[in-house]
Amino acid sequence: MDYSALAYYRMCEFDDDLGKTRTMQRGYAIVGNVFRCFVTSLKQWRADRFSTGLVAGGVSALVLAWSRLPIWLWLVGAALFVAWRLRRNGAWSRHDLHENKPLLEIAGKVAKLGGWVVHLPDRQMEWSDETRAIHEIPKGKTVTIDEAIGYFAPEWRDTITRHFESCVATGLPYDIEVEIIDGTGRRKWVRAIGVAIRDDMDRICRVQGALQDIDERKRLEKTARDLERRFAESMENISDAFFQLDAEWRFTYLNHQAERLLERPRSTLMGQSIWDEFPEASSGSIRQHYEDAAREGRTADFEVFYESLDAWFSVTAYPGPAGMTVYFRDVTQRHAADQHLRLLEMAISRIGDFVIITKAESQTGGRQAIVYVNDAFVRITGYSPEDALNRSPRFLQGQRTDAASIERIDRAIARSKAVRAELLNYTKDGREYWIDMSIAPIVGSDGRATHFVATGRDITDRKHAEEQLAETEERFAIVAMMTTDAVWDWDVATGHVQWNNNIASVFGHADVPVEDGFREWEAKIHPDDRTRVISSVLAAIEGKAAVTWMEEYRFRRGTGTYAEVIDQGHIIRNAAGKATRMVGGVRDVTETRLNEAKRLQAQRLEAIGQLTGGVAHDFNNLLTVIIGTAETLADEIADPRLSAVARLNHKASQQGAALTRQLLTFAGRQPLEPAALNINSSIRALEGLLSTALGGTIVLDLKLDPGAGQLRADAAQLEASLMNLCINARDAMPNGGNVTISTAQSGINVVIRISDTGFGMDQDTRAKAFEPFFTTKPFGKGSGLGLSTVYGFMRQSGGRIEIASEPGKGTTVSLYFPRLASTETAVEMIPNGLLHGGSERILVVEDDPMVREFAAATLMSLGYFATSAADATEALRILETDSPFDLVFSDVVMPGPLDGHAMAAEIMTLYPGLPVVLASGYADIERIGATSRFRPLAKPYTRQQLSEALREAIDASQDR
C-alpha cells in the first residue's frame, strides 16, 4: 500500500472539511458583527433617527438580498432609501415601525437573535418571540427577571447577574458569551448583549439588549480545533517525512520527520525557497522532477541520492493548485541491502562450488524442483540453467549412485534437517564425478522448510591434492555451521566480531559494534558461566590441534533475560598452526531444554505410574481371593467368634482395596463411573463438609461462575479430589487463612481452581508434588497419595492439573475438565443384596491360580458347572473339544499370544451366541464396556458382583 498517497488524499479531505468549517465561522462572525452594530446603533435612536433608519434599512436589505446580489449594494441602496424617507418625513411613525416589523422578525430568525428589555425601576422584562424561541418556550409567555436569570447555566448565573447589575448601576454595556439551559433541558451557547437606555434627565430608565444563539458556531469552532489538532498529530506521527511548498516553491509546512532527515529545523525553513535552502536539489534532478510534475499535473515518484546528506531518498510529489505536497523517506539501508544482495549473487555465481536452490515439495512424491543454479553448476555438470530449472536434482544421478546415501538425504529433507553426503553424479555427456554436498533447509516463519540450499564441489581429485582436501573440509565445515541461528565471524588478532541479522531477530541485540566485539560478546555471557566459557574458547585457540569448539551457556537477550544457547565455532589456522579467525554460530535451545525437562518429568511420572499400576493390579488379584473367601467364611461359619474374625478380615481387605484404588487412580487405571455433573451444584453440595474439614480458623470462599456448565466425571472421585486439595490447603495454613474455590470456562474446558494463602511451594517441591508417597508433612501426618491420586484422576478423566505456587505466596491448583455441550443424567444402580446362581456350564479363564481357583469354587457354590483354563489358548482348545458352554468368564491381562480382548473377539467369530464376561484390575473397565456386549467386572470383585454379572450375561444371551 502507498501510505504517502493515502496520507495525501486524507489531507485533501481534511483541507476541504477545515475550509468549510472556517467559511462557516467567518459567516457567523460577520452576522455577529452586523448584529452588534445593530444593537449599538439602537442606543442612538433618540439622538439620531437618521442613523437608526440607516441601520434598519441595512438589516432589511441584508435579509432580502442574502443569496442573490452583493450585500454591500443592497445595504447602500436600502439605507439611502430609508434615510431619504426619514429626512422627508422627519421621523418614523408607529405605522412605519409596524410595517417593518416582519422584516425585523425575518432578520432575527436568520441571525438566530432576539431582543429583550428590562424596565426600571420595577424591573419588568419583555422578550421578543425570537428570544423565546432560543429558550424553547411558547410565544407570548411572560418571563420575570429572576426566571430569565434562572435559564442561564448555574456556573454562568453569577457572571450574567454581575454584568447586568453593573449595567443598571453605571450604564456600562456588556457583550459576553455564556451558556443557557433551554426549556427542553438542552444546554446551548448564546451571545448576551446589554445596553443601558437613559431618559431626558440622563437617568437609566431601562436596559435593553439582544440574545444570539451561537451554539452551532461554538460547535464548529470546536470541530475546527479538533481538525487542526488531528491534522497536526497525523502529520507529525506518520513515518514518512512530509513538507508542503506554495506556488513560489516556498516551504509552508514541514513535519518532525522532515526536520530530522533534512537536518534543518522547520523554523529556519518556513517561508523560504527550497531552491535557495537546498542548492544541490535546485541544480540536480530533483528540481526537474518537481517542475515536470507541476507542469503536467501528475504525481512524481522517484529515488535520488542527496550527496550533501549522504543518503538515498524515495520521493513522491503531488502537485496541486496551491503548490506541491512532498513525501519522502530515507532508503539508504535498503539500497545498501540491495547492493549487498547483488554482490552476494555475483559472488555465488563466480565461486568454484556449485549452488543449487530447490523449492520444497514442488513436485509429486515430495521431490524438490530446482529454482536456481550458479555458474559453477553449469561448468561442472554441463547442464545449462534451462536444462536444470523445474527438474528434480535426481536427474544428475545414475546407475552407480549409492542408493543408501540417497535414502539418507531423503529422510533428512523429509524432516527439514541439514544433511551432508558424498555422491557419484553424472555430467550431461555421461562422465562420472564425485561431489561433496551439503543441503540445508530455509525455514519460513511457520517453522516449515520452504526451500533447500545445496552446495557442493567436485572432489574427484581430492585424494591427489592434500591442500585442496584441507580447503574443502574447511569450507564445507563453515557451510555446515551456517545452519545455526546467529552466525558470527571473529578476527582473533583485532578482536572484531561480525554478526548476521539473527543476533537482532533471535536475541534482540541491534547495532552490535564490530570493534571490540569479543568483549561485547563476553559481557553478554551470564556471570556464573563467563569464566568457564572464556577459558574454554581461549584454550581451543591456543591449542595446535583443535579445529572446532563448542560450549553451552546462558546468553543475555536484549530484554535482559537469559537464553540457554549452544555456541560452536570452527577455528581457521594459518600455515604455522596459529589461529587467525574463528567462524561459528549461536543457537537458542531454551525451548528445547524446557521441553526436554517436561518430557523427562512426564516419563518419570509415567514410569512411576506403570510400576504403581502393575503392583496394584497384582495386589487386586490377591484381594479378589481374600475378599471372596472372607465373605464365604463370614456367611457360613456358625461360631460367632470365628465369624467376627472373618468379618474383620473382610474389612481389612476392603481397606486394602481402597489403597489399590488410590494407586490405580494415580496410574490412570482405576475404574471410574463417570456421569454428567453440574460443577457448581456439586461444589455447593460439598460446602458444609469442606468448611468443617478446614476448621474455624480458615475462611472458605466460593466464587462460582454461573456459566461454567457441566462436565463428565466420577462424582465420588471428584469430591475426594476436592477434599484432598482443601485438606492440603488447610495444612499449609497452620495459623489460619483463606481458601477460595472458583469455577469458570476456559475455552472448551471447565476449570476448578482451589487457592490458598499458605506458605506455598518451591520449584523442587512442585516438581515432585504428584509423585506417590511424596509428602512435606511430618511423619504420620500424610500418606503422600493426595495429589498423586488427584493427578491420576484428572488424567483418567481426560483433563489435566496445574500447580502455580511460590514460597510465601500461597498455592493455586487448577483442574481442567472437558466441558459437556449438552446435559446428561447419570443412572445410579442399586444392588439388591441377593446372590444369583444357576445350573449352566461356565468356562473360567484366569492366569492367576488363586483367582482361578476362587472363581471356579464360587461359581460351583452358586450351582454352576465350572471348567478352568490358564490362558486363552487353552480356553479355545477346551471350547473346541469340550463344548457346549453357556458362558466364558475371563481375565483381560494374560500371558501368551492372545489376551482376554483377542480371545473374546475369536470366540465371537467362532461361537456367535456364546457370551463372554471380562474382568480387569486396571482402569479399562469403561473401555471394555464400550466394546463388549456384556458388563465387565472390576477387580477386586465380591461374590455378589460376580453372581450378578454372570447371571445378567447368561439371561441376556438366552433372550436373544
Side-chain angles (χ1 to χ4, degrees), residues 636-843:
E636 297 183 3
I637 294 178
D639 187 338
R641 184 178 62 83
L642 294 178
S643 178
V645 171
R647 285 193 297 273
L648 181 62
N649 185 22
H650 181 266
K651 181 178 180 181
S653 301
Q654 291 289 359
Q655 292 180 348
L659 178 61
T660 60
R661 281 195 296 272
Q662 285 185 298
L663 294 174
L664 285 173
T665 298
F666 166 73
R669 299 177 178 182
Q670 167 60 23
L672 300 180
E673 297 180 5
L677 303 175
N678 183 297
I679 185 57
N680 291 342
S681 299
S682 298
I683 293 175
R684 286 195 184 95
L686 275 177
E687 183 176 5
L689 183 60
L690 295 177
S691 297
T692 301
L694 290 173
T697 62
I698 296 176
V699 178
L700 176 63
D701 185 16
L702 301 184
K703 295 183 178 179
L704 309 180
D705 182 359
Q710 290 189 323
L711 54 83
R712 185 173 179 82
D714 186 301
Q717 286 292 340
L718 176 61
E719 293 175 359
S721 297
L722 294 177
M723 180 63 73
N724 271 331
L725 295 174
C726 286
I727 291 175
N728 283 347
R730 179 200 65 191
D731 294 342
M733 297 181 291
N735 298 322
N738 294 282
V739 172
T740 301
I741 302 178
S742 62
T743 60
Q745 287 190 41
S746 178
I748 61 173
N749 295 319
V750 176
V751 59
I752 308 172
R753 291 186 176 89
I754 300 91
S755 303
D756 63 58
T757 57
F759 44 70
M761 293 183 278
D762 57 24
Q763 184 175 354
D764 292 339
T765 303
R766 290 198 307 271
K768 298 178 181 179
F770 297 128
E771 295 182 8
F773 306 112
F774 173 78
T775 181
T776 59
K777 300 176 184 178
F779 179 75
K781 295 293 184 180
S783 65
L785 289 175
L787 277 176
S788 60
T789 301
V790 179
Y791 170 83
F793 165 62
M794 293 303 299
R795 188 177 63 171
Q796 193 173 350
S797 300
R800 71 180 191 276
I801 179 173
E802 295 179 356
I803 295 180
S805 182
E806 292 184 25
K809 296 184 178 180
T811 300
T812 297
V813 179
S814 300
L815 309 179
Y816 291 85
F817 293 89
R819 185 171 180 268
L820 290 183
S822 58
T823 303
E824 298 182 18
T825 304
V827 179
E828 184 179 359
M829 302 299 295
I830 302 176
N832 56 19
L834 300 178
L835 295 179
H836 301 278
S839 58
E840 288 82 3
R841 193 177 183 200
I842 298 176
L843 175 60

Side-chain angles (χ1 to χ4, degrees), residues 541-695:
I541 291 174
E542 292 170 1
K544 297 294 183 181
V547 294
T548 60
W549 167 84
M550 184 176 70
E551 278 291 341
E552 185 169 345
Y553 57 89
R554 287 164 291 180
F555 187 71
R556 179 165 49 83
R557 301 186 179 98
T559 59
T561 61
Y562 284 90
E564 293 281 346
V565 300
I566 293 178
D567 197 346
Q568 54 185 355
H570 182 82
I571 304 172
I572 302 174
R573 302 181 183 275
N574 58 18
K578 182 179 179 180
T580 59
R581 291 177 62 201
M582 194 170 179
V583 179
V586 181
R587 179 177 298 119
D588 187 344
V589 295
T590 306
E591 190 70 21
T592 302
R593 294 290 182 264
L594 181 61
N595 291 336
E596 183 178 355
K598 291 181 179 179
R599 180 180 58 81
L600 292 176
Q601 173 71 359
Q603 289 178 346
R604 186 163 174 254
L605 290 175
E606 180 65 24
I608 295 174
Q610 290 178 355
L611 175 62
T612 304
V615 172
H617 172 266
D618 293 342
F619 196 43
N620 270 339
N621 282 338
L622 298 176
L623 289 173
T624 300
V625 177
I626 295 173
I627 290 174
T629 54
E631 286 180 336
T632 302
L633 290 174
D635 293 342
E636 297 183 3
I637 294 178
D639 187 338
R641 184 178 62 83
L642 294 178
S643 178
V645 171
R647 285 193 297 273
L648 181 62
N649 185 22
H650 181 266
K651 181 178 180 181
S653 301
Q654 291 289 359
Q655 292 180 348
L659 178 61
T660 60
R661 281 195 296 272
Q662 285 185 298
L663 294 174
L664 285 173
T665 298
F666 166 73
R669 299 177 178 182
Q670 167 60 23
L672 300 180
E673 297 180 5
L677 303 175
N678 183 297
I679 185 57
N680 291 342
S681 299
S682 298
I683 293 175
R684 286 195 184 95
L686 275 177
E687 183 176 5
L689 183 60
L690 295 177
S691 297
T692 301
L694 290 173

Side-chain angles (χ1 to χ4, degrees), residues 419-421 436-440 453-456 476 479-480:
V419 64
R420 181 175 176 178
D436 188 350
M437 179 175 63
S438 293
I439 303 175
V453 178
T455 61
F476 277 92
V479 171

Side-chain angles (χ1 to χ4, degrees), residues 335-399:
H335 268 265
D338 292 343
Q339 183 179 11
H340 178 75
L341 181 60
R342 287 192 296 271
L343 291 175
L344 182 61
E345 291 177 349
M346 186 178 298
I348 291 176
S349 68
R350 285 165 172 73
I351 62 176
D353 295 345
F354 73 81
V355 177
I356 304 174
I357 301 177
T358 61
K359 187 175 181 181
E361 298 185 4
S362 55
Q363 295 184 3
T364 58
R367 302 300 183 195
Q368 313 302 304
I370 296 174
V371 296
Y372 173 83
V373 295
N374 68 340
D375 294 346
F377 171 87
V378 177
R379 186 180 66 255
I380 293 173
T381 66
Y383 289 101
S384 68
E386 292 75 17
D387 295 333
L389 293 180
N390 297 318
R391 298 179 68 181
S392 168
R394 287 288 183 89
F395 82 94
L396 298 170
Q397 295 144 20
Q399 182 177 1

